[in-house]
Amino acid sequence: MSEVIDGKKFADNLCAELKVEVAQLIANENLLPCIAVVLVGDDPASHVYVKNKVLRCTQLGIKSIEHRLPMETEQAELLALIETLNQDDSVHGILVQLPVPKQIDDKAVLAAISPTKDVDGFHIQNVGALAVGEPIMVPCTPLGSLMLLQDTLGDLSGKHAVIVGRSNIVGKPMALLLLQHHCTVTVVHSRTKDIEEHCRRADILVAAVGIPKFIKADWVKSGAVVIDVGINRIQEEGKSRLVGDVDFETVAPRAAAITPVPGGVGPMTIACLMYNTVAAAKLQRGL
Ligand code: NDP
């Protein structure tokens, strides 16, 4: 019987610890961690993500400031706001919810955020720091996935990790994190030949593809630990539901442990955003 990794419970426990730490920072250091969340346009999914992030901040005692800008906002206006937030010592984290409208270059936006306030970990300086094994701000989804893996397996040293997907926000930083933790890492993507063969050699299989139920049971080695990052909405038997990139029903019996969707990696992403915000506040205060 495989273990279903309870990401929601882990995230709730992490947030409970952070809440205590935030209260101590306020009481002992007069430091109130604060994140500014910038939302441009009216993408419905982005509004839901921002609402959930702000709600978590409130639960933990972290201050959040929302900046909602209209769809037609020019890039210069957004960059000016980011610069104001960079200069504001009471703001420790800056998050610009992606995607931004097409008149705005998202690379320019990410580059404008001060690296020490880059709680998403997407600034090229933070990407480079992770690449040389000296991470400062680590992207939230890979960080949350790593925490679940360490909780499940303990020491990851020597494990063969196969990551399906090479995006800048999940696949690549996941690969770098696992390398840093002494895994042997294989990254596969849309041009890889014989993906199934690579997957079958994985002690740790991380799926970040964006294709519902992409990973099948016979791609998974018996006893592997499977982390399903995918979040896909599908219609099944007339009903809409969320599924991952792994065919959970058939893969779960083969795996030693597997994250469900929903309730696996998803809750960890917001919990790690809170973790990074507290870390950014301490970093800027020299704590
Ligand atoms: P991207 O679309 O940016 O990247 C997908 C990756 O999968 C690419 O590297 C692509 O390869 C690869 N890929 C696509 N098709 C295939 C294929 N047929 N065979 C092998 N590889 C393939 O997605 P993201 O990394 O942003 O997200 C991946 C999934 O994770 C999505 O379902 C997303 O919703 C979810 N997600 C979940 C989060 C959470 O909080 N749990 C946070 C972020 C994302 P190539 O590079 O060659 O095109």
Side-chain angles (χ1 to χ4, degrees):
M1 191 66 187
S2 70
E3 177 198 349
V4 177
I5 299 170
D6 191 341
K8 181 172 182 313
K9 187 172 166 196
F10 192 101
D12 285 345
N13 288 341
L14 176 60
C15 287
E17 286 170 21
L18 288 170
K19 185 175 178 176
V20 172
E21 190 174 5
V22 169
Q24 285 169 348
L25 287 172
I26 295 169
N28 303 337
E29 308 288 343
N30 193 25
L31 175 59
L32 170 59
C34 170
I35 180 170
V37 182
V38 183
L39 178 57
V40 189
D42 38 38
D43 175 50
S46 294
H47 276 264
V48 173
Y49 294 144
V50 166
K51 192 176 123 221
N52 290 338
K53 287 167 185 174
V54 168
L55 185 65
R56 259 305 192 197
C57 287
T58 309
Q59 288 167 353
L60 270 60
I62 292 173
K63 184 177 174 189
S64 62
I65 305 167
E66 278 179 79
H67 291 271
R68 290 173 185 262
L69 306 180
M71 191 73 173
E72 57 280 5
T73 301
E74 291 300 333
Q75 178 167 311
E77 200 182 326
L78 178 57
L79 295 184
L81 171 62
I82 292 171
E83 189 47 29
T84 305
L85 296 170
N86 281 340
Q87 298 300 329
D88 185 340
D89 289 343
S90 70
V91 172
H92 307 103
I94 302 171
L95 181 147
V96 178
Q97 185 66 47
L98 299 177
V100 285
K102 58 182 182 313
Q103 72 276 14
I104 298 173
D105 173 11
D106 53 6
K107 287 198 185 73
V109 170
L110 299 180
I113 297 171
S114 164
T116 56
K117 297 191 178 189
D118 170 37
V119 283
D120 259 338
F122 296 156
H123 191 284
I124 204 141
Q125 195 169 312
N126 283 322
V127 175
L130 180 59
V132 295
E134 294 168 17
I136 304 166
M137 289 288 148
V138 177
C140 301
T141 301
L143 180 59
S145 301
L146 176 76
M147 288 179 182
L148 294 180
L149 279 170
Q150 288 177 314
D151 189 55
T152 305
L153 286 168
D155 184 13
L156 305 182
S157 180
K159 305 279 185 207
H160 184 188
V162 175
I163 299 159
V164 189
R166 57 171 167 177
S167 72
N168 289 337
I169 63 168
V170 188
K172 280 182 203 156
M174 189 78 237
L176 292 169
L177 269 182
L178 289 172
L179 261 184
Q180 200 204 344
H181 286 83
H182 312 298
C183 290
T184 301
V185 178
T186 302
V187 181
V188 301
H189 47 79
S190 68
R191 310 289 180 93
T192 303
K193 295 192 175 76
D194 298 329
I195 285 191
E196 300 94 307
E197 279 305 312
H198 291 288
C199 290
R200 281 186 201 113
R201 285 195 282 272
D203 303 314
I204 294 169
L205 184 60
V206 180
V209 202
I211 302 176
K213 305 185 186 185
F214 183 70
I215 306 288
K216 310 290 183 241
D218 63 348
W219 299 20
V220 178
K221 182 167 82 176
S222 179
V225 174
V226 179
I227 300 290
D228 190 352
V229 178
I231 302 179
N232 310 288
R233 186 162 288 284
I234 61 161
Q235 296 293 327
E236 219 171 47
E237 293 163 4
K239 284 189 195 142
S240 160
R241 72 177 185 113
L242 290 181
V243 296
D245 292 344
V246 176
D247 186 14
F248 184 88
E249 278 74 20
T250 62
V251 170
R254 289 182 74 84
I258 183 167
T259 57
V261 177
V265 174
M268 290 303 293
T269 298
I270 294 189
C272 286
L273 179 67
M274 303 297 109
Y275 178 90
N276 279 351
T277 303
V278 173
K282 291 194 293 185
L283 183 72
Q284 286 156 50
R285 184 62 76 82
L287 295 173

